Amino acid sequence: MLIEISNLVHQYASGQRALNGVSFSIEATNPVAIIGQNGAGKTTLVKHLNGLLKPTSGKIYIDGKEISTQETSAWSKTVGYVFQNPDNQLFLDSVKKEFEFGPKQIGMEKEEIATRLEMVSQLVGLSKKLDVHPFDLSAAEKKFCTIGSVLMMNPKIIILDEPTCGQDLLGAQRLNQIVKQLAELNILCITISHDMRFVAENFERILVMRKGEVVLDGDRQTIFKEREQLASSFVTPPPIAQLGLKLGLTQLAFNAVDFINKLEEETQNV
Ligand SMILES: Nc1ncnc2c1ncn2[C@@H]1O[C@H](COP(=O)(O)OP(=O)(O)OP(=O)(O)O)[C@@H](O)[C@H]1O
Ligand SMILES: [Mg+2]
């Protein structure tokens, strides 16, 4: 998997310049997080990856193919985008119908649809809710329904736009599992999130956006030490990383077990 974005500019019809020359590439399928203040251009950026938005200028290649050379419908098989707001995506009267709609549209074999339905509904925790109307699901379940319907298409890349919105603890744990499972299935997961705890726990690589630009791009150890740059992007490191910074740990930890181990390692020689 190789995504190459060079000098991407997007200006909306209103005149608003939402992307101001964004360049980066993603190789392989390790999950990547995109963070940054409201209005930084995160959603605008990812909507270019499946052709939902067209660049004003600049180029995007996926595995060497320029995006503009194929129809948006062709890209939707490769790149699945889960909308920030589930209500923009759900329109059928049962979870099962939502899950089967996309695969039927692209002519997926019946048996494959059935196999995927079982696997995906289990992964997103909706196996027992297949006959429920999506509007009768909780906010968290709606989000999982949209993730499931995109996963049903068997994409190579899945983009999650604010998946933690409206999630309780169980939902958050399920999301952690989904991100891990996608990595195991070699599906590239690109996630936009304001939830730094979720980002720090699950994503090695983080891009920070500010005012239409990518201002930081690196691994979480480096990114969460960039306190000034983060502050000017209105990003606060997760509490566990802040504690590590205060204690002067050279290696930050992003979960409790790791924190205790790192603390023991670094204080052993004091
Ligand atoms: N359809 C649109 N027409 C005009 N301007 C838009 C449109 N969509 C977004 N914008 C503007 O483009 C800029 C970037 O918006 P975008 O939604 O990409 O930001 P974001 O980083 O996803 O923000 P958030 O964290 O709030 O979701 C903002 O100034 C926004 O107001
Ligand atoms: Mg957004």
Side-chain angles (χ1 to χ4, degrees):
M1 175 57 54
L2 177 60
I3 299 178
E4 297 159 286
I5 297 181
S6 71
N7 223 357
L8 181 63
V9 171
H10 188 86
Q11 183 160 347
Y12 284 104
S14 63
Q16 173 73 35
R17 204 173 162 97
L19 296 177
N20 217 351
V22 167
S23 302
F24 64 90
S25 54
I26 298 177
E27 274 178 65
T29 51
N30 302 326
V32 177
I34 304 177
I35 63 176
Q37 68 191 111
N38 292 111
K42 305 180 296 296
T43 297
T44 305
L45 169 63
V46 299
K47 279 185 173 170
H48 283 80
L49 291 176
N50 67 347
L52 275 175
L53 287 176
K54 306 264 177 264
T56 304
S57 63
K59 298 249 188 290
I60 303 159
Y61 298 89
I62 295 183
D63 283 338
K65 237 185 230 167
E66 202 195 334
I67 292 248
S68 58
T69 58
Q70 279 193 62
E71 295 288 315
T72 305
S73 56
W75 283 113
S76 67
K77 277 186 242 169
T78 312
V79 187
Y81 173 60
V82 180
F83 280 74
Q84 195 160 357
N85 178 0
D87 293 338
N88 290 344
Q89 199 172 329
L90 300 170
F91 60 100
L92 293 167
D93 63 16
S94 77
V95 171
K96 185 165 184 269
K97 284 183 191 165
E98 287 287 352
F99 282 5
E100 290 179 341
F101 179 79
K104 280 183 181 164
Q105 288 292 307
I106 59 167
M108 195 185 282
E109 298 283 334
K110 259 189 176 170
E111 294 76 39
E112 194 184 347
I113 296 181
T115 314
R116 293 197 67 75
L117 184 71
E118 199 179 321
M119 187 273 280
V120 168
S121 57
Q122 197 158 3
L123 181 62
V124 300
L126 292 175
S127 318
K128 295 200 173 95
K129 303 235 166 166
L130 288 173
D131 296 323
V132 174
H133 196 299
F135 290 157
D136 293 327
L137 297 173
S138 70
E141 288 170 336
K142 269 189 201 172
K143 198 81 194 184
F144 285 120
C145 185
T146 55
I147 294 174
S149 61
V150 168
L151 273 177
M152 282 296 295
M153 300 284 279
N154 202 12
K156 292 195 178 117
I157 303 169
I158 181 161
I159 299 163
L160 306 177
D161 201 341
E162 296 292 355
T164 58
C165 264
Q167 298 293 352
D168 55 12
L169 187 63
L170 274 181
Q173 284 169 352
R174 185 169 292 285
L175 270 174
N176 294 350
Q177 266 171 23
I178 292 175
V179 175
K180 285 195 181 74
Q181 178 89 44
L182 291 174
E184 276 163 26
L185 293 168
N186 279 326
I187 298 171
L188 169 63
C189 173
I190 301 175
T191 298
I192 295 175
S193 183
H194 285 285
D195 182 340
M196 285 312 113
R197 189 173 158 179
F198 170 68
V199 167
E201 267 189 56
N202 294 287
F203 298 85
E204 276 285 340
R205 181 173 172 196
I206 301 172
L207 304 184
V208 184
M209 291 192 70
R210 182 167 70 227
K211 294 184 179 161
E213 289 175 16
V214 172
V215 290
L216 288 173
D217 176 359
D219 66 88
R220 59 188 170 179
Q221 283 291 338
T222 316
I223 296 290
F224 286 120
K225 286 177 190 152
E226 296 275 357
R227 281 197 270 191
E228 279 175 26
Q229 280 271 29
L230 290 179
S232 56
S233 306
F234 298 91
V235 171
T236 313
I240 202 158
Q242 289 185 50
L243 188 58
L245 288 166
K246 275 206 182 111
L247 293 171
L249 295 186
T250 50
Q251 284 289 305
L252 299 179
F254 302 107
N255 64 57
V257 174
D258 200 23
F259 182 83
I260 291 167
N261 289 339
K262 292 221 161 78
L263 191 63
E264 275 178 0
E265 269 169 37
E266 296 203 18
T267 49
Q268 234 164 29
N269 306 322
V270 176

